[in-house]
Amino acid sequence: MEAPTVVFASAPAITAGVPQHKILDLKVMPATAPQAPARKTKLPKKKLAGGGGGYVLEDVPHLTDFLPQLQSYPNPLQDHPAYSVVKQYFVNADDTVSKNIVVHENSARGTHFRRAGPRQRVYFQPDEVSAAIVTCGGLCPGLNTVIRELVCGLHDMYGVTNVVGIEGGYKGFYARNTVELTPRSVNGIHKRGGTVLGTSRGGQDTAKIVDSIQDRGINQVYIVGGDGTQKGAAVIHEEVRRRGLKCAVIGVPKTIDNDIAVIDKSFGFDTAVEEAQRAINAAHVEAESTENGIGVVKLMGRNSGFIAMHATLASRDVDCCLIPESPFFLEGKDGLLAFAERRLRDNGHMVIVLAEGAGQDLIAKGMPLADTHDASGNKHLLDVGLWLSHKIKEHFRKKPNCPISLKYIDPTYMIRAVPSNASDNVYCTLLAHSALHGAMAGYTGFVVAPVNGRHAYIPFYRITEKQNKVVITDRMWARVLCSTNQPCFLSPEDVENARQLDEEEPQIPLIEGQNSLVKASPMSMCNGHGHLCNGTTY
């Protein structure tokens, strides 16, 4: 790949909140790329502002960036009776949220995002707002709560009465009629699982979607979905901007796997962990109630094992946790099968929890299948739970003196279909309110989510450029290994690769909580025989 050239150009951006510093547009393009029409080669721009001490603001677009004559109005919240007792109605114009809060004495101030919340001036009058809400991708606890709170928040705080739902995901913009959403019609939907609007994967035709937005006179679009959905939202925002439409495009990030980068966590994750414990408890009861009982539980986690990791820590009944980020092997004295023998000999039963994306490379070696993907571009996974259950049964059939009773539980689709719990309901409310405050204030092209405990407006590109993953050299994963007393299962090849990595890169100290960014060697945790060997398990 050719090295990119970074091009800086002045931008007619909102400068509120970053006084005396020039806001820049940053665009990355191939160094030798030929000149072409802007519509074909234009990439999303990064709106950056610099400050003292290494301060960088990664700002989000504003409608006045491309509609400079847009009129603003006083925020009606200042006259809202519910806010009459609030000490400070509005977020300060220069409030930002730091991406990193663990720093050293000489650290730069680093990257910041614009703080979410209501502003003194808004760029929409209540009677001109025509809002649309769409849900895309897989199901997740909390979808209906987000829908409800967007509708009720717009109505109760800003007096907006024209809100519609787009049925069936992105394709619903041009393939189906809209459904009117009112506080009365959404009352109580937060007690139900799924999404009342329906959902689908793929089906994005950007031109048709924006045509529909334009034809229907929609000027606020709230898009609820995962990283693939938000990539689509970014493209929709760029097309809206290209056409010069007064339309705010806002994303509410959703993934049950909690694999969205930058943000603290995604909604529905707490509910998923809570429900996963029910399956683990059932597996433990089954295993404990019979001689040499083994319970195997498969949980959601295509590319990251956060649900499996947190459910394991919460349960304390798990003997082995397997996730996509941590390789494992079956055979040999330090393999999973030998560990299962030892655990049955010592305890008489065993519970294994695994994420759906774990061990896919091992399955593929014995089951060569076509490399297929779903409509969202996700690779179809093989059933690691069934495969592992078969391997365990096959292994113990060769040991007549140790007959086993294995129960396999797959609650994945049950978990994602349940209503959100109390914690997620509150979280979804805050997300929805932060999203609509940003839209009314004229911000666009962003997702809203908490960063280090404070809700912020984050540019689309920030959450779509990579996924959040469990770092197996972080103390959180060490706590799992300490809880289960399982080997870390690093093979000799993994250890050798780690040695080479150690020689190429200086080791960075572990910083708790920076799970998606820490770079540290597996050698710091493993002695090469698959066992934890240092003192970081506190």
Side-chain angles (χ1 to χ4, degrees):
M1 179 182 291
E2 297 176 343
T5 299
V6 180
V7 180
F8 292 89
S10 299
I14 296 296
T15 57
V18 195
Q20 300 179 356
H21 299 290
K22 187 176 182 181
I23 290 181
L24 303 175
D25 277 345
L26 183 150
K27 180 168 59 178
V28 179
M29 62 182 67
T32 57
Q35 294 296 322
R39 186 176 182 182
K40 294 182 180 179
T41 62
K42 188 174 181 180
L43 298 175
K45 295 180 179 180
K46 297 183 179 181
K47 190 175 173 183
L48 306 177
Y55 172 93
V56 176
L57 171 63
E58 291 198 29
D59 209 352
V60 297
H62 195 274
L63 291 175
T64 54
D65 292 350
F66 56 95
L67 298 171
Q69 305 303 319
L70 205 60
Q71 185 177 354
S72 66
Y73 314 93
N75 194 322
L77 279 179
Q78 64 189 2
D79 300 319
H80 197 291
Y83 278 73
S84 61
V85 296
V86 177
K87 183 178 180 180
Q88 183 177 350
Y89 294 143
F90 306 117
V91 173
N92 289 326
D94 57 352
D95 280 359
T96 57
V97 177
S98 177
K99 180 174 178 290
N100 296 320
I101 57 173
V102 180
V103 296
H104 303 289
E105 182 179 358
N106 298 319
S107 297
R109 294 178 64 192
T111 299
H112 289 66
F113 301 110
R114 189 164 292 282
R115 184 183 175 190
R119 265 60 182 176
Q120 287 185 324
R121 308 289 294 181
V122 296
Y123 287 80
F124 293 93
Q125 296 196 77
D127 57 358
E128 75 167 302
V129 173
S130 178
I133 304 170
V134 62
T135 54
C136 305
L139 295 182
C140 177
L143 283 168
N144 281 334
T145 307
V146 173
I147 295 169
R148 180 188 189 279
E149 295 308 315
L150 284 171
V151 175
C152 293
L154 284 167
H155 181 275
D156 297 342
M157 289 190 284
Y158 288 98
V160 174
T161 58
N162 187 8
V163 183
V164 298
I166 306 298
E167 295 185 307
Y170 275 137
K171 63 181 65 175
F173 274 101
Y174 51 86
R176 302 183 68 171
N177 292 325
T178 61
V179 55
E180 182 183 6
L181 298 176
T182 66
R184 180 182 293 272
S185 69
V186 300
N187 185 38
I189 65 172
H190 61 293
K191 301 174 184 178
R192 297 157 52 186
T195 165
V196 295
L197 297 179
T199 185
S200 65
R201 297 185 183 275
Q204 180 177 342
D205 186 321
T206 303
K208 288 184 178 180
I209 290 173
V210 180
D211 285 345
S212 175
I213 291 172
Q214 191 169 5
D215 293 343
R216 298 176 190 269
I218 296 170
N219 51 26
Q220 290 184 12
V221 182
Y222 298 92
I223 301 173
V224 188
D227 54 351
T229 298
Q230 302 308 331
K231 288 177 183 177
V235 177
I236 292 171
H237 160 69
E238 289 299 318
E239 178 63 14
V240 165
R241 178 171 180 157
R242 188 191 69 81
R243 298 190 188 187
L245 304 179
K246 182 186 177 183
C247 180
V249 180
I250 301 94
V252 180
K254 173 234 36 149
T255 169
I256 200 170
D257 293 348
N258 198 39
D259 59 1
I260 293 180
V262 179
I263 71 176
D264 292 351
K265 66 177 178 180
S266 54
F267 73 83
F269 176 70
D270 284 351
T271 304
V273 172
E274 186 175 304
E275 290 297 315
Q277 282 189 84
R278 301 180 190 274
I280 294 173
N281 291 341
H284 182 250
V285 169
E286 288 282 354
E288 194 178 34
S289 299
T290 185
E291 182 182 8
N292 294 326
I294 299 178
V296 178
V297 181
K298 185 182 76 171
L299 300 175
M300 305 289 280
R302 172 176 292 275
N303 298 309
S304 60
F306 286 103
I307 294 178
M309 179 174 73
H310 283 258
T312 294
L313 279 175
S315 169
R316 299 291 176 174
D317 288 329
V318 178
D319 297 282
C320 185
C321 178
L322 304 174
I323 60 174
E325 296 88 342
S326 181
F328 69 94
F329 54 97
L330 298 179
E331 307 296 338
K333 65 183 181 69
D334 294 314
L336 175 59
L337 297 175
F339 173 67
E341 287 187 44
R342 295 194 299 270
R343 188 50 57 93
L344 290 179
R345 184 174 61 247
D346 295 340
N347 294 348
H349 64 277
M350 182 182 190
V351 175
I352 301 173
V353 169
L354 66 164
E356 61 182 330
Q360 292 295 313
D361 55 335
L362 295 179
I363 312 175
K365 291 178 182 178
M367 299 172 59
L369 296 176
D371 186 11
T372 59
H373 297 74
D374 63 21
S376 296
N378 298 316
K379 184 177 179 180
H380 284 128
L381 299 180
L382 301 169
D383 193 327
V384 64
L386 284 175
W387 172 83
L388 183 60
S389 298
H390 171 74
K391 289 293 184 182
I392 292 173
K393 289 178 180 179
E394 188 179 61
H395 174 77
F396 281 98
R397 269 198 295 266
K398 302 173 185 176
K399 300 182 179 297
N401 293 331
C402 186
I404 66 168
S405 174
L406 187 147
K407 299 296 188 294
Y408 172 47
I409 299 176
D410 180 358
T412 50
Y413 289 100
M414 294 174 63
I415 289 175
R416 73 179 200 166
V418 301
S420 53
N421 63 14
S423 173
D424 272 323
N425 272 337
V426 173
Y427 182 26
C428 291
T429 299
L430 298 179
L431 284 174
H433 288 184
S434 295
L436 62 90
H437 287 318
M440 293 299 293
Y443 293 108
T444 182
F446 68 88
V447 297
V448 59
V451 178
N452 295 316
R454 292 288 186 178
H455 285 245
Y457 298 143
I458 307 166
F460 278 129
Y461 66 84
R462 259 303 193 165
I463 68 158
T464 59
E465 56 192 4
K466 69 175 184 178
Q467 287 186 319
N468 188 30
K469 294 180 181 293
V470 174
V471 176
I472 60 173
T473 53
D474 184 64
R475 284 204 296 268
M476 196 66 172
W477 181 243
R479 292 187 181 101
V480 172
L481 300 184
C482 186
S483 170
T484 62
N485 290 313
Q486 70 186 67
C488 68
F489 294 120
L490 289 180
S491 67
E493 291 78 9
D494 296 320
V495 174
E496 180 59 30
N497 291 337
R499 287 198 182 99
Q500 295 176 4
L501 186 62
D502 278 343
E503 294 173 0
E504 295 173 1
E505 296 185 17
Q507 185 165 321
I508 298 175
L510 294 175
I511 300 177
E512 185 174 7
Q514 302 301 309
N515 216 0
S516 63
L517 300 174
V518 172
K519 293 181 180 178
S521 167
M523 289 297 294
S524 65
M525 294 177 60
C526 180
N527 61 12
H529 300 290
H531 296 286
L532 199 65
C533 63
N534 73 351
T536 61
T537 58
Y538 49 85

